[in-house]
Amino acid sequence: MKRTPISKIIPGRDYKIQGFIENIRNKRTIAFIVIKDIAGKIQITLDKESSPALSEQIESLSLQSFVTVEGAVVANEHVKLNGMEMIPKEIILESFAEPLPIQSDSAIEHKMDYRWLDLRSDNNQMIFKIQTCMVGAMRNYLTDKDFIEIHTPKLIGTASESGASVFELSYFDTKAYLAQSPQFYKQMAMASGFESIFEVGPVFRAEKSYTSKHATEFTGFDLETTNIDSFKDVMTIEEDLITDMLEKVKARYGGEILDMFGLEVKIPQKPFPVIKLADLYLELKKRYGYDVPEEEKGDLTTEAERLSFRFTQEEYGHEFLFVTDYNAANRAFYHMRKDGVPQGYDLIWRGVEITTGAQREHRYDILKRQAEEKGLDNDVRFYLEFFRYGCPPHGGFGIGIDRMTMLLLGLHIKDSMFIFRGPNRLHP
């Protein structure tokens, strides 16, 4: 008999199921076992007096052991779990589980040591069903608009694109680095005439950050397109992409997100509110007394990010905020500038930055000069070559999938990633 996912079972037939034992109640004359697979749960009810052989087998089972069960599924209104139960004809212990070294209330670092066990919980498995829906919705939205999905190299020969730390490693008789983003190769695709592309892939940042939102390896969703006149077109693409994604996630998992994580999926109104960085600092000072030294006002501080959510809700009744007009010293050299102002933005959601986007500088001479200003002209020589033979105006952005999941569900970054990587975490 072929195995059937528990979610597909209906009363009145014989089935073969497989899963982990979530609960055992072994009484004198009857035993109840709850079996769980990725899609659902079912109660196994065994009359021990009428099935002495199976009754003996029950004694060898333990919580979280993996079993195969064959039997008849019958309706039973007294069974709280979906109103049905399986009467077993055969139980096979496929893998015995020792007592688990973690519990649901264990410290997060201890649970990270046994992440494969932590991931068996309903909430944790739901996180990745939701994340699958999120990424799938964005991928489908773009492919429907004729975007091409590419896969760029993560081993690169350049140490830096914008001054952030990179991981260095040996590469035969030379050095290589793990890519901080697919930025250079996204733009190469523009010079190749691809017009509109996206990528979902790993991103590496060698930063010793120990916050609830940082990781040294995460999954990025990156996009680049030639079909723009300014960075405002990039912002429109992103707000359309995110709004469509949230609509899809809410339609499929909105109820589960509210029940399991206590948060409502709110569909944002378009257009998203926009504010210049200097104006945001003025508002934060006026409303909340928050101020920073003048030399720090060219970028958005973490506390300013946090306060921006309060401001956005009060001023616009919104969860998202585009912040523009950063100082050129705080933006990447490849951002186009107009009157010295980078033509880009950050997108803040619920008080956390999820995106940096921009129109890119596509003119070789200007791009080379801006790289020289940052002292990067030698490091990015290969990248500059992309622009010597004609390149259309273009722009794009990158979204951190793990951070988006974290914010959507109100989690720590460690819980929103399948396996977390940080300064002190390389295992499992």
Side-chain angles (χ1 to χ4, degrees), residues 323-337:
V323 182
T324 67
D325 291 62
Y326 283 77
N327 190 304
N330 300 103
R331 299 281 96 170
F333 74 91
Y334 49 78
H335 286 201
M336 181 178 282
R337 301 175 193 170

Side-chain angles (χ1 to χ4, degrees), residues 229-378:
D229 295 317
S230 79
F231 75 98
K232 293 179 182 177
D233 296 323
V234 180
M235 292 161 61
T236 299
I237 292 170
E238 182 163 18
E239 67 186 12
D240 288 345
L241 177 71
I242 287 176
T243 300
D244 182 79
M245 176 271 289
L246 289 173
E247 287 172 349
K248 300 294 194 302
V249 169
K250 183 167 187 171
R252 185 164 183 182
Y253 290 114
E256 287 88 344
I257 292 172
L258 186 60
D259 291 343
M260 289 184 163
F261 304 99
L263 290 175
E264 180 185 355
V265 180
K266 295 182 179 179
I267 308 303
Q269 294 294 312
K270 297 184 291 186
F272 293 3
V274 183
I275 192 170
K276 293 180 179 180
L277 179 61
D279 293 338
L280 177 59
Y281 272 118
L282 288 175
E283 289 289 345
L284 297 183
K285 183 177 181 181
K286 180 175 67 175
R287 292 169 183 251
Y288 317 120
Y290 179 74
D291 199 10
V292 296
E294 205 62 36
E295 61 269 19
E296 294 184 29
K297 290 184 177 178
D299 203 357
L300 196 60
T301 66
T302 300
E303 180 62 13
E305 274 185 32
R306 188 186 67 80
L307 284 172
S308 72
F309 182 37
R310 181 177 170 188
F311 162 71
T312 307
Q313 290 185 302
E314 291 175 358
E315 182 67 15
Y316 307 109
H318 216 278
E319 292 192 339
F320 290 88
L321 180 67
F322 284 121
V323 182
T324 67
D325 291 62
Y326 283 77
N327 190 304
N330 300 103
R331 299 281 96 170
F333 74 91
Y334 49 78
H335 286 201
M336 181 178 282
R337 301 175 193 170
K338 185 176 181 180
D339 300 324
V341 178
Q343 300 298 285
Y345 65 89
D346 279 353
L347 179 58
I348 314 300
W349 184 29
R350 295 179 174 175
V352 177
E353 178 258 308
I354 60 168
T355 290
T356 295
Q359 180 169 4
R360 320 302 187 185
E361 182 52 71
H362 63 283
R363 295 162 293 186
Y364 174 76
D365 291 343
I366 297 173
L367 187 60
K368 185 174 185 294
R369 184 173 69 245
Q370 291 181 181
E372 289 170 350
E373 288 176 9
K374 301 275 189 178
L376 294 171
D377 48 315
N378 289 327

